[in-house]
Amino acid sequence: PLTNFAVVFSALIHDIDHVGVPNGTLAVEKPRIAALYDGKSCAEQNSVNVAWTLLMDPEFTDLQEVLFHSRQEFIRFRQIVVNSVLATDLFDKELHHHREYRWRTAFS
């Protein structure tokens, strides 16, 4: 259930606060965001940050307690969310090569 919800949550948040431009353009138009994320997958990392900040708000303590029964589950949920959302950056060459490698390893 944790993995399933993490994937659904990732799908829901992957474009939060997205301004509709590619990361290269975003870096020029919003240099603060580019600097914050070292110019890598800026829109995607910003989406995770905005959503995670909301999820960790004390207003959602009940939801947090239902989702994470342990620190290990909390860490696993965050890893799945971050990796899933970053995977939506189709133009990052490093991520692209990593995805190809993992695909070949899994299905060769």
Side-chain angles (χ1 to χ4, degrees):
L2 181 73
T3 300
N4 293 343
F5 185 74
V7 171
V8 170
F9 183 76
S10 300
L12 292 171
I13 65 143
H14 82 279
D15 272 343
I16 285 181
D17 204 34
H18 198 293
V19 294
V21 298
N23 281 317
T25 305
L26 182 63
V28 172
E29 293 179 356
K30 299 205 178 216
R32 183 194 64 77
I33 288 178
L36 186 61
Y37 302 115
D38 201 24
K40 289 201 50 86
S41 302
C42 300
E44 293 78 12
Q45 289 194 71
N46 186 58
S47 292
V48 170
N49 189 35
V50 169
W52 198 258
T53 300
L54 274 170
L55 181 61
M56 293 299 107
D57 189 281
E59 181 180 350
F60 298 108
T61 300
D62 291 342
L63 177 59
Q64 294 164 24
E65 290 172 358
V66 169
L67 290 174
F68 322 120
H69 295 109
S70 68
R71 178 84 178 140
Q72 186 177 12
E73 285 186 350
F74 172 85
I75 291 168
R76 182 70 183 136
F77 183 84
R78 178 146 173 95
Q79 286 174 331
I80 294 167
V81 169
V82 169
N83 290 334
S84 297
V85 174
L86 290 183
T88 66
D89 183 355
L90 302 178
F91 297 105
D92 184 291
K93 289 182 174 110
E94 185 179 325
L95 287 173
H96 177 75
H97 292 303
H98 184 68
R99 282 190 295 268
E100 282 185 347
Y101 170 77
R102 291 182 72 185
W103 183 267
R104 283 192 308 273
T105 301
F107 298 107
S108 294

